[in-house]
Structures are given as C-alpha cells and as structure tokens.
Amino acid sequence: MADPLEKCFSEAKINGLTLRNRLIKAATFEGKCPGGIPSKALTAFHERIGRGGIAMTTIAYCAAEADGRIHENMMYMHEGIRHELEHFIRILHGTGTKVSGQLGHAGGFTKNREFEGKRPLGPSKAMNALGLAYGLPRIDAMTKEQITERVDVFARAATFMKSVGFDAIEIHFGHGYGISQFISPKTNKRTDEYGGSLTNRMRFALEVLAAVRTAVGEDYPLLGKISMTDGVAGGVTYEDSVEIAAMLEAGGLDVIVCSGGTSSMNPMLLFRGDSLVPGLVKHERSLLMKIGIKLSAPVMFKNYPYEETYFLEHAQRIRDRVQCGVCYIGGVCTTDSIRRVMSGGFDFIQLGRALIFDPDFPKQARARPEYKNGCSHCNQCATLIEAPGGIYCVERPNNFA
Ligand SMILES: Cc1cc2nc3c(=O)[nH]c(=O)nc-3n(C[C@H](O)[C@H](O)[C@H](O)COP(=O)(O)O)c2cc1C
C-alpha cells in the first residue's frame, strides 16, 4: 500500500475549491485585531503560515455581528473593514494558500465592552459567568424574531465574506459558542420548536447553514466545526455528535471538522496538555475574573494529559457515518499521526498549536517522512489571546517576527 503520507500531500477539493494538499491551519484566534481591525501582525502571522506550505489557513474569529464578539478586539463582518480584509486576503493568496474564515457568534458567552444590545442573547435565560466582571452578567432567551434575525445576520456576514475574497467559510457549531448553545441540552432549556429533542436543538444550526448556503451559492466551500461532546454531564455526547454530523451533511455542509469541548464549561478537553489556568490568571484584566478563574479551576479546567491524535477514535465514528468530507483536528504533531489519520479515511487535517510552534510543518513533513514537531503543549499560546500583541510560541518567540 502506498504511504498514506502521499495522500496528505496530494491535491484535494472542497466543493469547487482545489487545495494544494490536505493540511489546513486550524482557527486559532490570534489576538491581533485591536479594535476589531485586522492588523499587520495578523497578516505577517498568516503569511508566514502560508509560506510554510499549508493548503488553507483559517482566520478566526469572524463574528457574524458586533454583538457576536466575545470581546471588542475581535473582528465582526461589516463594510468598515472591507478594505483591510481584501488587502489581507490578497497578500495571503500570494503565498499559495487558500483562505477560510471562521464565522461564528458568541451568543450569551461574551464580555464585549462595546456590547450594544440590552443583554447577551442565548437559547435560554442564564448567568453569563464570563461577563460577570464586565457588566454583562445575564443572558436573555432569544425570541423567535431574534432567532430569525440572527439567521439573517449569519447570511449577511457570509455574503460579505465571499465578497471580500475568502475562499471558504467554516461555520462554528462548537466549543460552547452561540450555535452550540442551542445544540447543547445543557444550555438550551427551551420548550418551543428550538428546544427539547436533538432535531429541535439542531433547528437553529440548520437554519443558519441553509441561509449561509443560499447566500454563498451551491459551489462555495462550507466547512463546519462541531464539538463531538461538550464534556459535561447533561451536554452533547459523542453518540449525539454522530447524528449531528449526519444532520449537517444532509443540510449541505461540505466538510465536518470534528473537535470537542466547550470554552465555557470544559476547555481542557480541546486543549489537551498543560493547564491554561496560570496563564489565564496572569493575562486577565479584571481582578474579579482572576479570582473567578482560580475558584472555578478544579471544576472547569480538568486535567487531560496530551496524547497524539486524541480525538481519533470518536472522529472515526463520524468518518464512518457520513459521505461528505471529514477533517480531523486535535493533536497532530508527527508524520506518523498524519499517516494514522489519512489511513482512517479522513480527507483533511487541521493543525493548531503545531503550526504556531513550527509554521513550516507542511514543508517539513513533506521533506522528512519521520518529522516530529516539537510543540510541548504547554498551552501558553492559548492564554495569550488577550495579551498585548496576541499569541506567539513562548518556546520560539521569533517564529513570526
Ligand atoms: C491560541 C489558540 C486559539 C484558538 N482559538 C480558536 C478559535 O478561535 N476557534 C476555534 O474553533 N478553536 C480555537 N482554538 C482551538 C484550535 O482550533 C484546535 O481545536 C485546538 O488547538 C486543537 O488542535 P491542535 O492540537 O492541532 O492544536 C484555538 C487554539 C489555540 C492554541
């Protein structure tokens, strides 16, 4: 049998888009959009990744509207940044990479100091722990009109993203953000047609997908990132996620990205490795939040030691269930892991921390069949997203200089 590494470095298609190989840069919000404007540092970061041979880089976070941001230093999709985005994407294309944007909405999970609505909106009334120290302690339940408005907001944002040159859109259905707040029975307590059964809890997600598909057209590449489990009792389970994937495939998604965990309830499930707590406490602006993080740490920041391809077993169940493209994500740092994932029938692999450590990962893995990326999964990069200047690899601080 041919080395599965060859498959990884073969061209591949997502709907109408051809990629030069099967390695995609994962969405890693870089904290390089002060005031919500993409900066030169963001361009330099993704340009460097593009030069390393990645097939497509993902720009996060592309909020569907101003109130869909977790905080004010995130982009939201509007005409005010058209010029900057067009310029940014043009430069990235010069490296040969395609450019995807992760389109999402924070829902009730926000601490945005520029928040314009009365209160953050989610599926159901709840407390917003993230916003406690930022004047946004409560989440209101969306009315049906507000749900329809949010669906329209996603569609408008997608139209905008296509028009500025994004080659693809990755809709964020996971990690505890707005859409997954509807999918999860832990946060969705509605008794109308948007709550209760999985079919009802998926209604908002599928309406967003349908509206985005209509906005961008049939041949435009649409990926979707899901959480295979919320990682909390009473939340989405691995079993549910196989059905969720099948529903999204039927709804017209081209590629499903199989992640897990929730930033709001169990972040370490997706960030396997060293605890985020020391770094988050260090970089948090509010004293109250610093105390909150420390107090919640034993419950919220569980210990999940790093392992290569830690989501593979569960992602394989989705791979075996759907016909559409499936992208593996989570702990790919060696060519052996690439081989294992490709042998499992996956179409693409997303790389997060390994690229922050070594932006030349794709070139290196192609040239050296036994390549091992040296990322230690200290997870310090993930705690720097709100630090001045944003993220970098603390072990290789000059990577993106
Ligand atoms: C600094 C950093 C920022 C991240 N930001 C996002 C984000 O904006 N959206 C998202 O879906 N996942 C985000 N993630 C999670 C990654 O996309 C990915 O799921 C996770 O790092 C596991 O993949 P890896 O083992 O290849 O790093 C982030 C990860 C890191 C390290």
Side-chain angles (χ1 to χ4, degrees):
M1 183 186 140
D3 186 344
L5 209 52
E6 285 174 27
K7 174 180 167 191
C8 177
F9 291 105
S10 62
E11 273 191 0
K13 284 195 123 187
I14 303 181
N15 203 334
L17 181 73
T18 302
L19 301 186
R20 60 184 168 184
N21 59 55
R22 292 158 188 270
L23 296 176
I24 299 173
K25 156 78 172 58
T28 60
F29 174 68
E30 280 94 23
K32 299 180 194 297
C33 294
I37 299 166
S39 65
K40 281 189 180 151
L42 186 75
T43 309
F45 180 93
H46 285 275
E47 202 185 353
R48 181 67 192 84
I49 300 258
R51 279 195 275 117
I54 203 78
M56 181 157 77
T57 191
T58 307
I59 313 304
Y61 187 80
C62 300
E65 62 179 333
D67 283 355
R69 296 178 292 175
I70 292 158
H71 54 77
E72 59 283 359
N73 291 322
M74 285 180 153
M75 281 190 277
Y76 68 98
M77 298 299 101
H78 68 298
E79 288 297 330
I81 55 169
R82 172 178 290 282
H83 174 72
E84 286 84 351
L85 277 177
E86 284 175 346
H87 179 67
F88 168 58
I89 293 171
R90 224 176 3 254
I91 290 179
L92 300 190
H93 281 158
T95 69
T97 186
K98 303 293 183 202
V99 184
S100 173
Q102 187 181 55
L103 172 60
H105 199 295
F109 184 65
T110 180
K111 57 175 182 176
N112 178 3
R113 285 189 290 201
E114 293 173 2
F115 197 83
E116 287 170 0
K118 275 203 213 132
R119 279 184 182 172
L121 297 174
S124 308
K125 268 187 189 290
M127 194 185 88
N128 172 26
L130 186 69
L132 278 180
Y134 292 86
L136 299 165
R138 305 243 7 118
I139 301 169
D140 270 352
M142 279 190 217
T143 62
K144 285 192 197 167
E145 291 69 31
Q146 286 166 328
I147 292 178
T148 307
E149 278 169 25
R150 298 287 87 61
V151 171
D152 292 345
V153 152
F154 267 98
R156 279 202 296 276
T159 303
F160 173 77
M161 288 171 78
K162 185 179 176 188
S163 77
V164 296
F166 281 104
D167 301 291
I169 291 174
E170 176 181 290
I171 304 174
H172 205 340
F173 293 107
H175 293 182
Y177 294 114
I179 302 179
S180 72
Q181 289 158 23
F182 272 82
I183 299 174
S184 174
K186 186 81 183 169
T187 42
N188 183 343
K189 306 290 181 195
R190 296 179 78 95
T191 52
D192 63 5
E193 67 269 36
Y194 289 94
S197 65
L198 181 59
T199 304
N200 281 357
R201 285 182 279 114
M202 281 295 290
R203 196 175 304 281
F204 178 55
L206 292 171
E207 286 179 359
V208 168
L209 175 56
V212 169
R213 174 56 81 202
T214 303
V216 296
E218 284 305 315
D219 59 354
Y220 189 82
L222 284 183
L223 301 89
K225 190 168 184 178
I226 64 167
S227 281
M228 295 186 290
T229 173
D230 290 333
V232 287
V236 167
T237 64
Y238 285 113
E239 286 69 34
D240 295 334
S241 72
V242 180
E243 297 313 312
I244 290 170
M247 289 174 170
L248 292 173
E249 175 182 37
L253 203 62
D254 297 310
V255 173
I256 297 170
V257 184
C258 304
S259 185
T262 47
S263 301
S264 47
M265 298 182 281
N266 189 354
M268 291 311 300
L269 192 74
L270 65 124
F271 291 113
R272 307 278 168 116
D274 294 356
S275 176
L276 298 172
V277 172
L280 288 179
V281 170
K282 185 172 165 193
H283 300 296
E284 173 56 52
R285 292 168 293 186
S286 143
L287 181 62
L288 193 61
M289 283 299 288
K290 280 182 196 276
I291 296 167
I293 295 168
K294 277 192 186 164
L295 290 178
S296 67
V299 177
M300 208 176 132
F301 295 87
K302 300 203 179 82
N303 182 23
Y304 294 100
Y306 179 78
E307 288 167 40
E308 280 288 292
T309 58
Y310 49 83
F311 278 140
L312 191 55
E313 183 192 333
H314 295 291
Q316 190 70 54
R317 293 177 60 194
I318 291 178
R319 170 63 295 176
D320 294 346
R321 172 68 187 272
V322 297
Q323 306 297 313
C324 66
V326 180
C327 178
Y328 179 78
I329 187 168
V332 174
C333 275
T334 67
T335 41
D336 272 352
S337 293
I338 295 178
R339 289 187 181 93
R340 207 171 314 125
V341 172
M342 287 290 135
S343 302
F346 292 87
D347 303 278
F348 301 97
I349 296 175
Q350 284 199 353
L351 304 169
R353 291 163 292 180
L355 276 174
I356 298 168
F357 180 83
D358 180 6
D360 285 326
F361 182 135
K363 274 189 184 162
Q364 295 272 13
R366 184 165 209 173
R368 296 164 45 200
E370 303 309 321
Y371 169 75
K372 285 188 173 52
N373 179 276
C375 172
S376 67
H377 304 96
C378 69
N379 282 329
Q380 298 225 34
C381 56
T383 70
L384 288 165
I385 56 179
E386 291 181 38
I391 70 161
Y392 60 93
C393 176
V394 296
E395 291 176 16
R396 291 182 154 188
N398 297 321
N399 259 352
F400 297 92

